[in-house]
Amino acid sequence: MRVIVTRPQAQAEPLVARLRAAGIDAVTLPLIEIAAACDLQPLHCAWMALPETTLAIFVSANAVQYFMQARPHGAHWPQPLSVGSPGPGTSAALLAAGVPPAALVEPRPGAAFDSEALWQRLRERDWQGRRVLVVRGENGRDWLAEQLRSCGAQVDFVAAYRRVLPHLDAGLRALL
């Protein structure tokens, strides 16, 4: 039996390597690619608004990567800013990018890696009048934003990346 991993190339390769190490015939077939947002101006504006932001939620490691790459010259990470992460991959990317561990809010150990589990960690806080930034692709995490809004938060979104069709060479097309 062969396992085909269809995640973006950068995320598929480590998983395929682990599967192969376990003796499983695994290959990558990325059916989506992740690219930087076409317009960096909203990202620059989001960076400049971080000092007035209570919580920045990053939906994925891709969101972290492309948001950090878009940092305008002279912009600094504000220390009191809390940072939400839905799971360990995003948390690892945030820590590698220099986010202080004490700022990180993530699902409890043993919980699912999703918005609902992150909300369990956030729902007891006072969100009235607080500003929250959700860093994502073109869409996603609307449910979590609605929960925060229902508690009085002002939620803004910024697209740090976009999903594009992959370039499939002859070998990948044959695998299809």
Side-chain angles (χ1 to χ4, degrees):
M1 178 172 69
R2 172 175 269 181
V3 173
I4 299 173
V5 179
T6 61
R7 296 185 55 90
Q9 189 74 30
Q11 295 158 349
E13 287 175 354
L15 177 56
V16 167
R18 288 195 314 271
L19 290 168
R20 287 179 180 163
I24 298 170
D25 177 21
V27 295
T28 62
L29 177 60
L31 296 180
I32 190 169
E33 285 184 16
I34 304 297
C38 291
D39 183 3
L40 297 182
Q41 187 59 37
L43 289 164
H44 293 166
C45 291
W47 265 101
M48 301 317 287
L50 282 181
E52 293 83 43
T53 302
T54 301
L55 173 69
I57 299 172
F58 289 81
V59 305
S60 66
N62 290 318
V64 175
Q65 174 188 348
Y66 288 103
F67 186 79
M68 295 300 181
Q69 285 177 0
R71 180 186 304 201
H73 180 71
H76 300 286
W77 190 263
Q79 290 304 315
L81 178 64
S82 292
V83 183
S85 164
T90 305
S91 295
L94 287 163
L95 294 172
V99 170
L104 194 59
V105 181
E106 56 190 344
R108 288 183 174 83
F113 305 135
D114 58 19
S115 294
E116 291 81 359
L118 180 56
W119 176 241
Q120 295 304 312
R121 297 297 306 271
L122 297 171
R123 68 181 182 172
E124 299 302 323
R125 296 183 183 194
D126 177 15
W127 293 108
Q128 190 63 45
R130 305 282 195 257
R131 190 170 183 174
V132 176
L133 174 67
V134 178
V135 182
R136 63 184 188 176
E138 297 97 343
N139 54 43
R141 302 297 182 207
D142 294 330
W143 180 88
L144 184 55
E146 287 306 314
Q147 302 314 301
L148 289 157
R149 284 184 181 129
S150 73
C151 293
Q154 174 192 333
V155 181
D156 297 308
F157 294 98
V158 66
Y161 65 91
R162 58 196 168 96
R163 296 165 188 93
V164 297
L165 292 174
H167 170 74
L168 300 178
D169 62 23
L172 292 175
R173 283 195 305 276
L175 186 58
L176 274 175

